[in-house]
Amino acid sequence: MINISPYLSFDGNCEEALNFYQSCFGGDIFLMRFQDGPMKDQFPESQQSLIMHGEMKNENFTIMATDMQGPAGHQPGNDMSNILTFDDESLLRKCFALLSAGGTILEPVGQQFWGDIFGELRDKYGKKWKMLLPLNQPNS
């Protein structure tokens, strides 16, 4: 099984946006701040309370989001990607290999510090895809 969700990038107002989406759609919010992650020392004090990863989940869909920006910073229009959530690692790896052909691997598939299997790529058309196999479920 594969589920698809939007992954939105914000310029410092991720938590506000997820609270707004929750007010529109209901559901629960999970937030991980930069200060709670293993890379916290790589961010200035002014960014410690920003959102490294957030989710707004209801019974029908999930919106994932972050305040994390790439080297070019926040760029409206390039601030959304798709995240595919898998329940089978071999299927994730197959889809990753197929989608990355002719594109760029941004994060090779592997186990991440939070415990899940994850990889990220930009396909040959310039679209960003994140692929996830949840192994650890966050506490909501």
Side-chain angles (χ1 to χ4, degrees):
M1 178 175 66
I2 304 172
N3 290 320
I4 189 167
S5 300
Y7 202 104
L8 310 175
S9 295
F10 292 92
D11 193 18
N13 59 348
C14 178
E15 183 173 7
E16 175 186 331
L18 287 177
N19 282 313
F20 172 71
Y21 299 143
Q22 181 187 41
S23 74
C24 295
F25 305 119
D28 297 313
I29 293 179
F30 164 79
L31 301 173
M32 177 189 284
R33 299 181 189 283
F34 289 113
Q35 65 196 19
D36 300 327
M39 301 180 305
K40 65 182 174 186
D41 296 336
Q42 298 177 25
F43 298 92
E45 183 64 33
S46 62
Q47 294 179 353
Q48 291 292 313
S49 65
L50 294 178
I51 305 305
M52 177 182 284
H53 175 75
E55 296 180 6
M56 191 291 304
K57 290 184 177 186
N58 67 22
E59 62 277 354
N60 298 308
F61 62 89
T62 300
I63 296 172
M64 297 184 188
T66 186
D67 280 318
M68 187 176 281
Q69 303 300 318
H74 185 260
Q75 297 179 359
N78 293 330
D79 54 359
M80 182 177 165
S81 58
N82 294 299
I83 186 159
L84 299 172
T85 304
F86 293 79
D87 63 0
D88 178 272
E89 185 174 352
S90 61
L91 182 57
L92 181 153
R93 288 183 182 277
K94 177 183 176 183
C95 289
F96 191 90
L98 291 169
L99 271 174
S100 65
T104 304
I105 294 175
L106 304 172
E107 175 74 34
V109 173
Q111 190 156 11
Q112 301 298 312
F113 70 87
W114 65 85
D116 297 338
I117 304 295
F118 176 83
E120 184 175 12
L121 64 94
R122 187 179 306 278
D123 70 20
K124 64 183 178 180
Y125 302 105
K127 305 304 180 199
K128 284 178 68 175
W129 296 87
K130 300 171 189 291
M131 298 191 184
L132 177 72
L133 173 65
L135 299 176
N136 292 321
Q137 296 299 317
N139 294 328
S140 298

